[in-house]
Amino acid sequence: MTARARFRSAVAAVSPPRTDATRSRSETLDASASTGDVTLQGGSGTDSLRAGSGTGILVAGTGDATLAAGSGSDHFVFEQGDAARNDTIAGFDPLRDLVLLFGYAADEAQNALAHASVQGGSLVLSLTDGTSITFWATLRYPLRR
């Protein structure tokens, strides 16, 4: 991949076991003390999901979310059609973490990277369904298109 964020476009739905923030209110799911693999699912409120030292799968819900990487390999999942939202990824490491786009066109990641912007020291990607993904303070990595 030629960007500071590694992306994979996919069509299949994510269906691993998960801990859900399924209510419409704001939820915090904090697995930062966990050493095992975790899957956290955001809901329709303003959610905060935090991975631990194992592999974390953090699924953005239909509301705005802050997704925080742990020290393990983390996968940040965005599903098309979950409504336009503003999500933030904190602690993203392009050498070990991965962003997965489900239900989007095959060229979605390439197009989002080609039109990426920088706002306040953070990389911002806009997807075709109106979703905005901000990689908080990650500009220490070079952006290549």
Side-chain angles (χ1 to χ4, degrees):
M1 297 290 133
T2 60
R4 85 153 87 160
R6 296 184 307 150
F7 287 89
R8 183 177 301 155
S9 291
V11 176
V14 175
S15 58
R18 27 176 101 159
T19 301
D20 296 334
T22 56
R23 300 179 185 186
S24 60
R25 62 188 172 106
S26 297
E27 300 282 347
T28 297
L29 301 177
D30 188 348
S32 59
S34 172
T35 58
D37 297 343
V38 297
T39 300
L40 305 174
Q41 167 74 50
S44 61
T46 301
D47 301 317
S48 177
L49 312 177
R50 181 176 299 276
S53 61
T55 296
I57 299 174
L58 287 76
V59 183
T62 57
D64 295 347
T66 298
L67 312 170
S71 59
S73 236
D74 298 311
H75 300 168
F76 300 93
V77 179
F78 299 89
E79 297 180 58
Q80 185 181 36
D82 277 350
R85 60 189 182 262
N86 298 302
D87 296 319
T88 300
I89 298 176
F92 186 85
D93 182 340
L95 300 178
R96 71 166 190 255
D97 297 330
L98 187 63
V99 171
L100 301 171
L101 303 177
F102 285 90
Y104 291 92
D107 62 351
E108 183 77 22
Q110 181 181 353
N111 290 337
L113 287 167
H115 298 96
S117 64
V118 176
Q119 298 175 13
S122 298
L123 178 71
V124 180
L125 302 179
S126 297
L127 305 179
T128 54
D129 66 351
T131 296
S132 171
I133 304 172
T134 300
F135 292 81
W136 186 74
T138 55
L139 292 183
R140 62 185 174 168
Y141 302 104
L143 174 63
R144 292 184 211 113
R145 296 186 180 159

PDB file of all heavy atoms in Angstrom, residues 9-48:
ATOM      1  N   SER A   9     -10.534  -2.817   0.698  1.00  0.00           N
ATOM      2  CA  SER A   9     -11.953  -2.753   0.381  1.00  0.00           C
ATOM      3  C   SER A   9     -12.488  -4.173   0.327  1.00  0.00           C
ATOM      4  O   SER A   9     -11.823  -5.064  -0.171  1.00  0.00           O
ATOM      5  CB  SER A   9     -12.185  -2.073  -0.968  1.00  0.00           C
ATOM      6  OG  SER A   9     -11.862  -0.712  -0.876  1.00  0.00           O
ATOM      7  N   ALA A  10     -13.674  -4.372   0.844  1.00  0.00           N
ATOM      8  CA  ALA A  10     -14.266  -5.700   0.873  1.00  0.00           C
ATOM      9  C   ALA A  10     -15.766  -5.587   0.715  1.00  0.00           C
ATOM     10  O   ALA A  10     -16.341  -4.528   0.885  1.00  0.00           O
ATOM     11  CB  ALA A  10     -13.913  -6.401   2.180  1.00  0.00           C
ATOM     12  N   VAL A  11     -16.409  -6.686   0.410  1.00  0.00           N
ATOM     13  CA  VAL A  11     -17.844  -6.693   0.216  1.00  0.00           C
ATOM     14  C   VAL A  11     -18.543  -7.435   1.344  1.00  0.00           C
ATOM     15  O   VAL A  11     -19.635  -7.089   1.746  1.00  0.00           O
ATOM     16  CB  VAL A  11     -18.199  -7.337  -1.145  1.00  0.00           C
ATOM     17  CG1 VAL A  11     -19.686  -7.436  -1.316  1.00  0.00           C
ATOM     18  CG2 VAL A  11     -17.573  -6.538  -2.269  1.00  0.00           C
ATOM     19  N   ALA A  12     -17.917  -8.445   1.905  1.00  0.00           N
ATOM     20  CA  ALA A  12     -18.552  -9.260   2.945  1.00  0.00           C
ATOM     21  C   ALA A  12     -18.773  -8.467   4.225  1.00  0.00           C
ATOM     22  O   ALA A  12     -18.087  -7.499   4.503  1.00  0.00           O
ATOM     23  CB  ALA A  12     -17.665 -10.465   3.245  1.00  0.00           C
ATOM     24  N   ALA A  13     -19.742  -8.898   5.001  1.00  0.00           N
ATOM     25  CA  ALA A  13     -20.027  -8.265   6.295  1.00  0.00           C
ATOM     26  C   ALA A  13     -19.116  -8.861   7.357  1.00  0.00           C
ATOM     27  O   ALA A  13     -18.678  -9.994   7.255  1.00  0.00           O
ATOM     28  CB  ALA A  13     -21.480  -8.478   6.677  1.00  0.00           C
ATOM     29  N   VAL A  14     -18.833  -8.092   8.379  1.00  0.00           N
ATOM     30  CA  VAL A  14     -18.035  -8.566   9.507  1.00  0.00           C
ATOM     31  C   VAL A  14     -18.960  -9.286  10.464  1.00  0.00           C
ATOM     32  O   VAL A  14     -19.993  -8.751  10.846  1.00  0.00           O
ATOM     33  CB  VAL A  14     -17.376  -7.374  10.223  1.00  0.00           C
ATOM     34  CG1 VAL A  14     -16.647  -7.839  11.459  1.00  0.00           C
ATOM     35  CG2 VAL A  14     -16.435  -6.664   9.291  1.00  0.00           C
ATOM     36  N   SER A  15     -18.621 -10.497  10.876  1.00  0.00           N
ATOM     37  CA  SER A  15     -19.512 -11.203  11.784  1.00  0.00           C
ATOM     38  C   SER A  15     -18.799 -11.957  12.899  1.00  0.00           C
ATOM     39  O   SER A  15     -19.219 -13.026  13.276  1.00  0.00           O
ATOM     40  CB  SER A  15     -20.388 -12.172  10.990  1.00  0.00           C
ATOM     41  OG  SER A  15     -19.567 -13.077  10.288  1.00  0.00           O
ATOM     42  N   PRO A  16     -17.695 -11.414  13.467  1.00  0.00           N
ATOM     43  CA  PRO A  16     -17.082 -12.090  14.610  1.00  0.00           C
ATOM     44  C   PRO A  16     -17.875 -11.778  15.877  1.00  0.00           C
ATOM     45  O   PRO A  16     -18.706 -10.871  15.890  1.00  0.00           O
ATOM     46  CB  PRO A  16     -15.684 -11.463  14.675  1.00  0.00           C
ATOM     47  CG  PRO A  16     -15.878 -10.109  14.098  1.00  0.00           C
ATOM     48  CD  PRO A  16     -16.941 -10.252  13.040  1.00  0.00           C
ATOM     49  N   PRO A  17     -17.638 -12.521  16.957  1.00  0.00           N
ATOM     50  CA  PRO A  17     -18.304 -12.194  18.216  1.00  0.00           C
ATOM     51  C   PRO A  17     -17.923 -10.782  18.623  1.00  0.00           C
ATOM     52  O   PRO A  17     -16.795 -10.359  18.422  1.00  0.00           O
ATOM     53  CB  PRO A  17     -17.727 -13.204  19.205  1.00  0.00           C
ATOM     54  CG  PRO A  17     -16.992 -14.201  18.399  1.00  0.00           C
ATOM     55  CD  PRO A  17     -16.731 -13.613  17.050  1.00  0.00           C
ATOM     56  N   ARG A  18     -18.845 -10.025  19.194  1.00  0.00           N
ATOM     57  CA  ARG A  18     -18.539  -8.645  19.521  1.00  0.00           C
ATOM     58  C   ARG A  18     -19.199  -8.192  20.807  1.00  0.00           C
ATOM     59  O   ARG A  18     -20.186  -8.732  21.232  1.00  0.00           O
ATOM     60  CB  ARG A  18     -18.918  -7.686  18.396  1.00  0.00           C
ATOM     61  CG  ARG A  18     -20.026  -8.113  17.482  1.00  0.00           C
ATOM     62  CD  ARG A  18     -20.354  -7.045  16.481  1.00  0.00           C
ATOM     63  NE  ARG A  18     -19.777  -7.331  15.199  1.00  0.00           N
ATOM     64  CZ  ARG A  18     -20.184  -6.836  14.069  1.00  0.00           C
ATOM     65  NH1 ARG A  18     -21.164  -6.003  14.018  1.00  0.00           N
ATOM     66  NH2 ARG A  18     -19.601  -7.128  12.955  1.00  0.00           N
ATOM     67  N   THR A  19     -18.611  -7.145  21.365  1.00  0.00           N
ATOM     68  CA  THR A  19     -19.225  -6.424  22.468  1.00  0.00           C
ATOM     69  C   THR A  19     -19.836  -5.185  21.851  1.00  0.00           C
ATOM     70  O   THR A  19     -19.162  -4.411  21.191  1.00  0.00           O
ATOM     71  CB  THR A  19     -18.154  -6.027  23.517  1.00  0.00           C
ATOM     72  OG1 THR A  19     -17.541  -7.235  23.978  1.00  0.00           O
ATOM     73  CG2 THR A  19     -18.783  -5.295  24.670  1.00  0.00           C
ATOM     74  N   ASP A  20     -21.150  -5.008  22.053  1.00  0.00           N
ATOM     75  CA  ASP A  20     -21.873  -3.967  21.344  1.00  0.00           C
ATOM     76  C   ASP A  20     -22.235  -2.774  22.211  1.00  0.00           C
ATOM     77  O   ASP A  20     -22.602  -2.920  23.367  1.00  0.00           O
ATOM     78  CB  ASP A  20     -23.187  -4.516  20.774  1.00  0.00           C
ATOM     79  CG  ASP A  20     -22.962  -5.583  19.722  1.00  0.00           C
ATOM     80  OD1 ASP A  20     -21.903  -5.562  19.089  1.00  0.00           O
ATOM     81  OD2 ASP A  20     -23.853  -6.430  19.555  1.00  0.00           O
ATOM     82  N   ALA A  21     -22.169  -1.598  21.597  1.00  0.00           N
ATOM     83  CA  ALA A  21     -22.739  -0.378  22.169  1.00  0.00           C
ATOM     84  C   ALA A  21     -24.004  -0.134  21.359  1.00  0.00           C
ATOM     85  O   ALA A  21     -24.036   0.677  20.462  1.00  0.00           O
ATOM     86  CB  ALA A  21     -21.774   0.790  22.044  1.00  0.00           C
ATOM     87  N   THR A  22     -25.044  -0.916  21.632  1.00  0.00           N
ATOM     88  CA  THR A  22     -26.209  -0.937  20.757  1.00  0.00           C
ATOM     89  C   THR A  22     -27.256   0.101  21.113  1.00  0.00           C
ATOM     90  O   THR A  22     -28.254   0.224  20.427  1.00  0.00           O
ATOM     91  CB  THR A  22     -26.872  -2.326  20.787  1.00  0.00           C
ATOM     92  OG1 THR A  22     -27.196  -2.643  22.151  1.00  0.00           O
ATOM     93  CG2 THR A  22     -25.935  -3.370  20.218  1.00  0.00           C
ATOM     94  N   ARG A  23     -27.072   0.835  22.136  1.00  0.00           N
ATOM     95  CA  ARG A  23     -28.055   1.837  22.509  1.00  0.00           C
ATOM     96  C   ARG A  23     -27.799   3.140  21.768  1.00  0.00           C
ATOM     97  O   ARG A  23     -26.739   3.359  21.229  1.00  0.00           O
ATOM     98  CB  ARG A  23     -27.998   2.070  24.009  1.00  0.00           C
ATOM     99  CG  ARG A  23     -28.286   0.784  24.758  1.00  0.00           C
ATOM    100  CD  ARG A  23     -28.220   0.992  26.213  1.00  0.00           C
ATOM    101  NE  ARG A  23     -28.396  -0.317  26.825  1.00  0.00           N
ATOM    102  CZ  ARG A  23     -28.503  -0.513  28.086  1.00  0.00           C
ATOM    103  NH1 ARG A  23     -28.460   0.485  28.920  1.00  0.00           N
ATOM    104  NH2 ARG A  23     -28.655  -1.718  28.566  1.00  0.00           N
ATOM    105  N   SER A  24     -28.794   4.013  21.794  1.00  0.00           N
ATOM    106  CA  SER A  24     -28.641   5.271  21.076  1.00  0.00           C
ATOM    107  C   SER A  24     -27.899   6.313  21.899  1.00  0.00           C
ATOM    108  O   SER A  24     -27.549   7.358  21.395  1.00  0.00           O
ATOM    109  CB  SER A  24     -30.009   5.809  20.666  1.00  0.00           C
ATOM    110  OG  SER A  24     -30.794   6.027  21.813  1.00  0.00           O
ATOM    111  N   ARG A  25     -27.624   6.038  23.140  1.00  0.00           N
ATOM    112  CA  ARG A  25     -26.873   6.994  23.950  1.00  0.00           C
ATOM    113  C   ARG A  25     -25.376   6.754  23.768  1.00  0.00           C
ATOM    114  O   ARG A  25     -24.965   5.759  23.185  1.00  0.00           O
ATOM    115  CB  ARG A  25     -27.269   6.880  25.414  1.00  0.00           C
ATOM    116  CG  ARG A  25     -26.977   5.527  26.016  1.00  0.00           C
ATOM    117  CD  ARG A  25     -27.583   5.442  27.417  1.00  0.00           C
ATOM    118  NE  ARG A  25     -27.462   4.094  27.913  1.00  0.00           N
ATOM    119  CZ  ARG A  25     -26.599   3.724  28.838  1.00  0.00           C
ATOM    120  NH1 ARG A  25     -25.793   4.606  29.384  1.00  0.00           N
ATOM    121  NH2 ARG A  25     -26.544   2.488  29.244  1.00  0.00           N
ATOM    122  N   SER A  26     -24.583   7.633  24.296  1.00  0.00           N
ATOM    123  CA  SER A  26     -23.133   7.491  24.190  1.00  0.00           C
ATOM    124  C   SER A  26     -22.652   6.341  25.067  1.00  0.00           C
ATOM    125  O   SER A  26     -23.116   6.170  26.187  1.00  0.00           O
ATOM    126  CB  SER A  26     -22.452   8.789  24.613  1.00  0.00           C
ATOM    127  OG  SER A  26     -22.822   9.823  23.738  1.00  0.00           O
ATOM    128  N   GLU A  27     -21.725   5.571  24.528  1.00  0.00           N
ATOM    129  CA  GLU A  27     -21.174   4.407  25.227  1.00  0.00           C
ATOM    130  C   GLU A  27     -19.651   4.446  25.162  1.00  0.00           C
ATOM    131  O   GLU A  27     -19.076   4.924  24.193  1.00  0.00           O
ATOM    132  CB  GLU A  27     -21.644   3.101  24.578  1.00  0.00           C
ATOM    133  CG  GLU A  27     -23.135   2.902  24.556  1.00  0.00           C
ATOM    134  CD  GLU A  27     -23.707   2.442  25.882  1.00  0.00           C
ATOM    135  OE1 GLU A  27     -22.938   2.038  26.773  1.00  0.00           O
ATOM    136  OE2 GLU A  27     -24.933   2.501  26.032  1.00  0.00           O
ATOM    137  N   THR A  28     -19.009   3.908  26.203  1.00  0.00           N
ATOM    138  CA  THR A  28     -17.570   3.721  26.206  1.00  0.00           C
ATOM    139  C   THR A  28     -17.295   2.237  26.394  1.00  0.00           C
ATOM    140  O   THR A  28     -17.754   1.649  27.379  1.00  0.00           O
ATOM    141  CB  THR A  28     -16.897   4.515  27.340  1.00  0.00           C
ATOM    142  OG1 THR A  28     -17.122   5.908  27.120  1.00  0.00           O
ATOM    143  CG2 THR A  28     -15.401   4.252  27.384  1.00  0.00           C
ATOM    144  N   LEU A  29     -16.594   1.644  25.445  1.00  0.00           N
ATOM    145  CA  LEU A  29     -16.176   0.251  25.540  1.00  0.00           C
ATOM    146  C   LEU A  29     -14.654   0.266  25.626  1.00  0.00           C
ATOM    147  O   LEU A  29     -13.975   0.564  24.646  1.00  0.00           O
ATOM    148  CB  LEU A  29     -16.650  -0.556  24.328  1.00  0.00           C
ATOM    149  CG  LEU A  29     -18.168  -0.588  24.096  1.00  0.00           C
ATOM    150  CD1 LEU A  29     -18.487  -1.352  22.816  1.00  0.00           C
ATOM    151  CD2 LEU A  29     -18.882  -1.217  25.277  1.00  0.00           C
ATOM    152  N   ASP A  30     -14.120  -0.015  26.813  1.00  0.00           N
ATOM    153  CA  ASP A  30     -12.685   0.111  27.065  1.00  0.00           C
ATOM    154  C   ASP A  30     -12.076  -1.261  27.342  1.00  0.00           C
ATOM    155  O   ASP A  30     -12.295  -1.848  28.387  1.00  0.00           O
ATOM    156  CB  ASP A  30     -12.441   1.042  28.251  1.00  0.00           C
ATOM    157  CG  ASP A  30     -10.975   1.373  28.447  1.00  0.00           C
ATOM    158  OD1 ASP A  30     -10.107   0.727  27.821  1.00  0.00           O
ATOM    159  OD2 ASP A  30     -10.696   2.290  29.234  1.00  0.00           O
ATOM    160  N   ALA A  31     -11.329  -1.763  26.369  1.00  0.00           N
ATOM    161  CA  ALA A  31     -10.647  -3.043  26.512  1.00  0.00           C
ATOM    162  C   ALA A  31      -9.142  -2.829  26.655  1.00  0.00           C
ATOM    163  O   ALA A  31      -8.358  -3.742  26.415  1.00  0.00           O
ATOM    164  CB  ALA A  31     -10.950  -3.923  25.302  1.00  0.00           C
ATOM    165  N   SER A  32      -8.730  -1.636  27.082  1.00  0.00           N
ATOM    166  CA  SER A  32      -7.299  -1.317  27.138  1.00  0.00           C
ATOM    167  C   SER A  32      -6.530  -2.207  28.107  1.00  0.00           C
ATOM    168  O   SER A  32      -5.332  -2.388  27.945  1.00  0.00           O
ATOM    169  CB  SER A  32      -7.093   0.158  27.486  1.00  0.00           C
ATOM    170  OG  SER A  32      -7.673   0.471  28.732  1.00  0.00           O
ATOM    171  N   ALA A  33      -7.187  -2.796  29.082  1.00  0.00           N
ATOM    172  CA  ALA A  33      -6.508  -3.691  30.025  1.00  0.00           C
ATOM    173  C   ALA A  33      -6.491  -5.140  29.516  1.00  0.00           C
ATOM    174  O   ALA A  33      -5.861  -6.004  30.120  1.00  0.00           O
ATOM    175  CB  ALA A  33      -7.181  -3.627  31.385  1.00  0.00           C
ATOM    176  N   SER A  34      -7.162  -5.393  28.407  1.00  0.00           N
ATOM    177  CA  SER A  34      -7.261  -6.749  27.867  1.00  0.00           C
ATOM    178  C   SER A  34      -5.978  -7.146  27.147  1.00  0.00           C
ATOM    179  O   SER A  34      -5.404  -6.367  26.400  1.00  0.00           O
ATOM    180  CB  SER A  34      -8.437  -6.828  26.895  1.00  0.00           C
ATOM    181  OG  SER A  34      -8.433  -8.079  26.241  1.00  0.00           O
ATOM    182  N   THR A  35      -5.564  -8.394  27.363  1.00  0.00           N
ATOM    183  CA  THR A  35      -4.403  -8.921  26.644  1.00  0.00           C
ATOM    184  C   THR A  35      -4.830  -9.877  25.533  1.00  0.00           C
ATOM    185  O   THR A  35      -4.008 -10.310  24.741  1.00  0.00           O
ATOM    186  CB  THR A  35      -3.443  -9.655  27.601  1.00  0.00           C
ATOM    187  OG1 THR A  35      -4.166 -10.705  28.243  1.00  0.00           O
ATOM    188  CG2 THR A  35      -2.868  -8.704  28.629  1.00  0.00           C
ATOM    189  N   GLY A  36      -6.126 -10.192  25.475  1.00  0.00           N
ATOM    190  CA  GLY A  36      -6.640 -11.083  24.437  1.00  0.00           C
ATOM    191  C   GLY A  36      -7.202 -10.303  23.270  1.00  0.00           C
ATOM    192  O   GLY A  36      -7.234  -9.072  23.266  1.00  0.00           O
ATOM    193  N   ASP A  37      -7.666 -11.043  22.279  1.00  0.00           N
ATOM    194  CA  ASP A  37      -8.284 -10.432  21.109  1.00  0.00           C
ATOM    195  C   ASP A  37      -9.696  -9.975  21.467  1.00  0.00           C
ATOM    196  O   ASP A  37     -10.405 -10.672  22.196  1.00  0.00           O
ATOM    197  CB  ASP A  37      -8.350 -11.421  19.955  1.00  0.00           C
ATOM    198  CG  ASP A  37      -6.970 -11.858  19.490  1.00  0.00           C
ATOM    199  OD1 ASP A  37      -5.974 -11.182  19.812  1.00  0.00           O
ATOM    200  OD2 ASP A  37      -6.894 -12.883  18.796  1.00  0.00           O
ATOM    201  N   VAL A  38     -10.106  -8.807  20.969  1.00  0.00           N
ATOM    202  CA  VAL A  38     -11.435  -8.277  21.265  1.00  0.00           C
ATOM    203  C   VAL A  38     -12.081  -7.740  19.990  1.00  0.00           C
ATOM    204  O   VAL A  38     -11.395  -7.329  19.061  1.00  0.00           O
ATOM    205  CB  VAL A  38     -11.402  -7.141  22.324  1.00  0.00           C
ATOM    206  CG1 VAL A  38     -10.880  -7.649  23.649  1.00  0.00           C
ATOM    207  CG2 VAL A  38     -10.591  -5.958  21.830  1.00  0.00           C
ATOM    208  N   THR A  39     -13.407  -7.761  19.977  1.00  0.00           N
ATOM    209  CA  THR A  39     -14.185  -7.118  18.925  1.00  0.00           C
ATOM    210  C   THR A  39     -15.174  -6.197  19.602  1.00  0.00           C
ATOM    211  O   THR A  39     -15.948  -6.625  20.447  1.00  0.00           O
ATOM    212  CB  THR A  39     -14.925  -8.159  18.059  1.00  0.00           C
ATOM    213  OG1 THR A  39     -13.967  -9.022  17.456  1.00  0.00           O
ATOM    214  CG2 THR A  39     -15.733  -7.477  16.970  1.00  0.00           C
ATOM    215  N   LEU A  40     -15.125  -4.915  19.254  1.00  0.00           N
ATOM    216  CA  LEU A  40     -15.996  -3.909  19.845  1.00  0.00           C
ATOM    217  C   LEU A  40     -16.827  -3.270  18.745  1.00  0.00           C
ATOM    218  O   LEU A  40     -16.295  -2.887  17.713  1.00  0.00           O
ATOM    219  CB  LEU A  40     -15.167  -2.842  20.563  1.00  0.00           C
ATOM    220  CG  LEU A  40     -14.182  -3.355  21.625  1.00  0.00           C
ATOM    221  CD1 LEU A  40     -13.322  -2.214  22.147  1.00  0.00           C
ATOM    222  CD2 LEU A  40     -14.909  -4.040  22.755  1.00  0.00           C
ATOM    223  N   GLN A  41     -18.135  -3.151  18.982  1.00  0.00           N
ATOM    224  CA  GLN A  41     -19.072  -2.619  17.982  1.00  0.00           C
ATOM    225  C   GLN A  41     -19.687  -1.333  18.496  1.00  0.00           C
ATOM    226  O   GLN A  41     -20.299  -1.313  19.559  1.00  0.00           O
ATOM    227  CB  GLN A  41     -20.180  -3.644  17.735  1.00  0.00           C
ATOM    228  CG  GLN A  41     -21.377  -3.115  16.961  1.00  0.00           C
ATOM    229  CD  GLN A  41     -21.089  -2.913  15.490  1.00  0.00           C
ATOM    230  OE1 GLN A  41     -20.578  -3.801  14.825  1.00  0.00           O
ATOM    231  NE2 GLN A  41     -21.418  -1.749  14.976  1.00  0.00           N
ATOM    232  N   GLY A  42     -19.545  -0.254  17.737  1.00  0.00           N
ATOM    233  CA  GLY A  42     -20.175   1.007  18.085  1.00  0.00           C
ATOM    234  C   GLY A  42     -21.664   0.965  17.813  1.00  0.00           C
ATOM    235  O   GLY A  42     -22.143   0.125  17.053  1.00  0.00           O
ATOM    236  N   GLY A  43     -22.404   1.879  18.421  1.00  0.00           N
ATOM    237  CA  GLY A  43     -23.849   1.959  18.232  1.00  0.00           C
ATOM    238  C   GLY A  43     -24.231   3.242  17.522  1.00  0.00           C
ATOM    239  O   GLY A  43     -23.461   3.804  16.760  1.00  0.00           O
ATOM    240  N   SER A  44     -25.433   3.744  17.833  1.00  0.00           N
ATOM    241  CA  SER A  44     -25.923   4.936  17.151  1.00  0.00           C
ATOM    242  C   SER A  44     -25.650   6.220  17.922  1.00  0.00           C
ATOM    243  O   SER A  44     -25.926   7.306  17.436  1.00  0.00           O
ATOM    244  CB  SER A  44     -27.423   4.803  16.871  1.00  0.00           C
ATOM    245  OG  SER A  44     -28.123   4.661  18.087  1.00  0.00           O
ATOM    246  N   GLY A  45     -25.083   6.101  19.124  1.00  0.00           N
ATOM    247  CA  GLY A  45     -24.726   7.292  19.887  1.00  0.00           C
ATOM    248  C   GLY A  45     -23.308   7.739  19.551  1.00  0.00           C
ATOM    249  O   GLY A  45     -22.709   7.308  18.574  1.00  0.00           O
ATOM    250  N   THR A  46     -22.771   8.605  20.382  1.00  0.00           N
ATOM    251  CA  THR A  46     -21.377   9.023  20.248  1.00  0.00           C
ATOM    252  C   THR A  46     -20.562   8.090  21.126  1.00  0.00           C
ATOM    253  O   THR A  46     -20.603   8.187  22.344  1.00  0.00           O
ATOM    254  CB  THR A  46     -21.208  10.489  20.696  1.00  0.00           C
ATOM    255  OG1 THR A  46     -22.053  11.297  19.883  1.00  0.00           O
ATOM    256  CG2 THR A  46     -19.778  10.946  20.550  1.00  0.00           C
ATOM    257  N   ASP A  47     -19.836   7.166  20.496  1.00  0.00           N
ATOM    258  CA  ASP A  47     -19.172   6.090  21.220  1.00  0.00           C
ATOM    259  C   ASP A  47     -17.663   6.246  21.248  1.00  0.00           C
ATOM    260  O   ASP A  47     -17.068   6.870  20.380  1.00  0.00           O
ATOM    261  CB  ASP A  47     -19.518   4.739  20.578  1.00  0.00           C
ATOM    262  CG  ASP A  47     -21.004   4.468  20.578  1.00  0.00           C
ATOM    263  OD1 ASP A  47     -21.641   4.729  21.606  1.00  0.00           O
ATOM    264  OD2 ASP A  47     -21.524   4.011  19.545  1.00  0.00           O
ATOM    265  N   SER A  48     -17.066   5.622  22.265  1.00  0.00           N
ATOM    266  CA  SER A  48     -15.619   5.562  22.406  1.00  0.00           C
ATOM    267  C   SER A  48     -15.246   4.092  22.563  1.00  0.00           C
ATOM    268  O   SER A  48     -15.704   3.431  23.499  1.00  0.00           O
ATOM    269  CB  SER A  48     -15.173   6.368  23.632  1.00  0.00           C
ATOM    270  OG  SER A  48     -13.788   6.244  23.811  1.00  0.00           O
TER     271      SER A  48
END
